[in-house]
């Protein structure tokens, strides 16, 4: 007996994704480079097409658009002709995407399809996240004095909902690692001076000054706790800047143990892959830890998505796991993530039914929580009416 729990009627809330690029180019080199996190162009040029992920994406999208499988060029030209707005309209509807929580800092807002257009053509609810490190960098460029910077950060993170955001996203993992510490005032000031020296030389700053970044993050976390706002952390696999050694979710222990942050939900992104067991463990022991299971980044085969899903659902409470695509720039990722994510979750829940752990009604309810209701509650969106 193999039970599959069909969750296709449940609208997903994609609890972590990115903007769609306004211009959808048919350039094959750029297209392939999207599907690797390597800064080395060789990966995109020679190796991406030899991955299960890329093969699946191309097969699924070719079938959707009615183009013969393997006709890469024809597919890219077809989608360029359709354009971003039509692609979003067709793909979001097909995948039944009811809401998206968007890290609006990447791709840059001036290259992105207008969020008002996205909501208008898809009917999906839209929640924006403030990407902290990028905002900190802007403020460091603007402020010559440390005390003025601290005050500006404090103002920025206060009353966030009235500024149009539903939570924060931190990319500390791409900068100085997830072991976020408390620093003495003189250490934070010395790091600020070093950051300002970079601004004087280059006109900008990459916030790789750990005592400064950690200090500013704590200001944001105190504000998040006061407003009961979720903070998403990039964990594990991702950006070329990530040092995987310092981006395990276990590095966040000091934050989980901080009593003042208990009212701040911490969302561990990307299933924490390859640290998905560690992520599932944290979600099972810390009340404010939530595990995001993400289905287009990392770029995994279906079997590996199932492994991640088994670890997540096998350990963490269903009330602590949330679906995402981590789709970025092209709407096919948001679309395929929703379809594949539902399928992987339905497969793993079916295994639990077969093992006599859940009945079918419990499995359906678990699916509804993971795909929709947990995120609706956490970010303040409306639940699927089912
Ligand atoms: Zn992301």
């Amino acid at each position: 007996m193999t039970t599959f729990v069909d969750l296709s009627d449940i609208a997903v809330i994609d609890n972590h994704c990115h903007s769609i690029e306004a211009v959808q180019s048919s350039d094959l080199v750029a297209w392939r480079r999207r599907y690797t996190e390597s800064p080395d162009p060789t990966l995109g040029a020679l190796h991406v097409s030899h991955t299960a992920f890329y093969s699946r994406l191309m097969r699924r999208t070719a079938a959707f658009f009615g183009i013969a499988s393997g006709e890469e060029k024809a597919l890219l030209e077809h989608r360029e002709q359709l354009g971003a707005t039509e692609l979003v309209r067709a793909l979001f509807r097909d995948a039944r995407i009811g809401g998206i929580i968007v890290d609006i800092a990447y791709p840059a807002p001036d290259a992105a399809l207008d969020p008002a257009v996205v909501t208008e053509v898809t009917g999906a609810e839209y929640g924006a996240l403030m990407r902290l490190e990028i905002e900190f960098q802007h403020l460091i460029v603007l402020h010559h004095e440390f005390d003025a910077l601290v005050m500006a950060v404090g103002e920025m993170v206060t009353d966030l909902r009235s500024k149009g955001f539903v939570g924060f996203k931190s990319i500390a993992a791409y900068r100085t690692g997830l072991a976020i510490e408390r620093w003495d005032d003189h250490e934070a000031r010395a790091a600020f001076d070093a950051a300002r020296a970079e601004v004087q030389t280059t006109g900008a700053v990459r916030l790789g000054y750990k005592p400064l970044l950690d200090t500013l993050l704590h200001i944001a976390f105190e504000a998040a706790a006061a407003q009961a706002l979720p903070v998403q952390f990039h964990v594990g696999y991702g950006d070329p800047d990530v040092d995987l050694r310092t981006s395990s979710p276990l590095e966040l222990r000091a934050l989980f143990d901080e009593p003042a942050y208990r009212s701040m939900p911490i969302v561990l992104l990307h299933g924490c892959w390859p640290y998905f067991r560690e992520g599932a463990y944290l979600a099972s022991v810390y009340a404010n830890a939530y595990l995001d299971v993400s289905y287009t980044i990392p770029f995994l085969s279906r079997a590996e998505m199932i492994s991640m899903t088994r670890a997540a659902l096998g350990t963490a409470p269903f009330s602590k796991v949330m679906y995402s695509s981590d789709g970025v720039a092209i709407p096919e990722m948001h679309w395929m993530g929703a379809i594949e994510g539902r399928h992987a979750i339905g497969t793993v829940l079916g295994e639990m039914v077969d093992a006599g752990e859940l009945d079918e009604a419990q499995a359906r309810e678990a699916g509804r929580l993971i795909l929709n209701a947990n995120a609706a509650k956490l970010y303040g969106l409306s639940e699927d009416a089912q």
Side-chain angles (χ1 to χ4, degrees):
M1 176 177 62
T2 307
T3 300
F4 171 72
V5 181
D6 185 359
L7 304 170
S8 56
D9 59 326
I10 298 172
V12 301
I13 293 178
D14 190 339
N15 113 96
H16 174 78
C17 61
H18 297 262
S19 306
I20 312 291
E21 281 177 0
V23 176
Q24 297 285 320
S25 146
S26 60
D27 182 88
L28 179 61
V29 174
W31 174 262
R32 285 187 171 180
R33 281 201 69 180
R34 294 186 187 286
Y35 311 109
T36 169
E37 298 288 357
S38 174
D40 181 344
T42 316
L43 266 292
L46 298 182
H47 302 294
V48 156
S49 58
H50 301 284
T51 61
F53 176 86
Y54 187 75
S55 177
R56 185 174 75 245
L57 176 76
M58 297 307 279
R59 282 164 174 273
R60 299 271 195 270
T61 49
F64 181 77
F65 294 119
I67 288 166
S69 186
E71 296 289 333
E72 250 177 339
K73 209 167 169 297
L75 177 64
L76 296 190
E77 281 167 5
H78 178 72
R79 59 187 306 290
E80 183 179 56
Q81 264 174 13
L82 283 175
T85 305
E86 278 313 308
L87 287 169
V88 168
R89 186 201 311 271
L91 291 162
F92 274 45
R93 291 263 162 106
D94 185 64
R96 212 179 152 93
I97 297 171
I100 46 175
I101 305 295
V102 185
D103 172 358
I104 57 168
Y106 183 76
D110 57 0
L113 192 61
D114 185 343
V117 172
V118 174
T119 44
E120 189 198 318
V121 302
T122 65
E125 269 189 271
Y126 190 100
L129 296 167
M130 178 183 282
R131 187 185 261 219
L132 285 166
E133 288 76 4
I134 301 302
E135 300 302 328
F136 294 161
Q137 288 176 181
H138 293 152
L139 292 178
I140 292 167
V141 171
L142 292 175
H143 291 89
H144 304 257
E145 301 290 336
F146 178 72
D147 293 327
L149 170 68
V150 166
M151 194 171 289
V153 168
E155 279 167 19
M156 179 181 79
V157 295
T158 305
D159 208 4
L160 203 71
R161 283 190 171 275
S162 76
K163 294 170 181 145
F165 295 95
V166 297
F168 295 109
K169 153 108 182 259
S170 170
I171 54 163
Y174 308 168
R175 292 295 186 265
T176 54
L178 289 176
I180 296 158
E181 299 169 43
R182 296 274 186 188
W183 297 85
D184 288 339
D185 189 59
H186 72 274
E187 292 168 309
R189 286 175 188 273
F192 173 73
D193 291 343
R196 283 293 308 174
E198 186 180 327
V199 173
Q200 298 302 333
T201 318
T202 67
V205 64
R206 184 182 176 282
L207 191 36
Y209 304 91
K210 187 166 169 54
L212 178 60
L213 175 53
D214 289 358
T215 301
L216 299 180
L217 284 171
H218 278 296
I219 296 171
F221 298 156
E222 279 155 27
Q227 299 166 78
L229 280 172
V231 181
Q232 298 189 348
F233 284 91
H234 172 92
V235 179
Y237 188 106
D239 199 270
D241 282 351
V242 158
D243 182 341
L244 203 53
R245 294 169 299 183
T246 58
S247 58
S248 158
L250 300 179
E251 301 279 336
L252 290 167
R253 174 159 185 175
L255 295 192
F256 284 119
D257 283 341
E258 175 106 23
Y261 294 160
R262 298 244 163 93
S263 57
M264 171 178 88
I266 293 176
V267 182
L268 306 168
L269 294 178
H270 315 315
C272 301
W273 197 93
Y275 301 110
F276 47 79
R277 290 206 163 85
E278 287 85 341
Y281 160 76
L282 292 167
S284 69
V285 295
Y286 291 102
N288 60 335
Y290 290 81
L291 181 61
D292 156 86
V293 280
S294 174
Y295 290 96
T296 54
I297 295 179
F299 304 116
L300 303 177
S301 71
R302 181 176 156 74
E304 185 61 2
M305 290 193 299
I306 295 280
S307 298
M308 175 186 76
T309 310
R310 282 186 180 132
L313 274 55
T315 311
F318 308 133
S319 49
K320 305 288 287 306
V321 180
M322 292 185 294
Y323 160 79
S324 82
S325 68
D326 198 21
V328 51
I330 62 153
E332 282 86 345
M333 292 177 77
H334 306 68
W335 167 78
M336 192 170 80
I339 292 169
E340 301 281 345
R342 273 195 200 93
H343 203 275
I345 293 164
T347 300
V348 171
L349 290 171
E351 293 171 354
M352 293 173 175
V353 172
D354 288 344
E357 294 171 315
L358 303 177
D359 63 28
E360 293 218 23
Q362 288 175 305
R364 281 264 319 161
E365 175 58 11
R368 196 186 66 82
L369 290 175
I370 295 162
L371 292 171
N372 183 286
N374 293 338
K377 195 168 158 195
L378 204 65
Y379 300 97
L381 269 54
S382 24
E383 269 186 49
D384 189 12
Q386 307 290 322

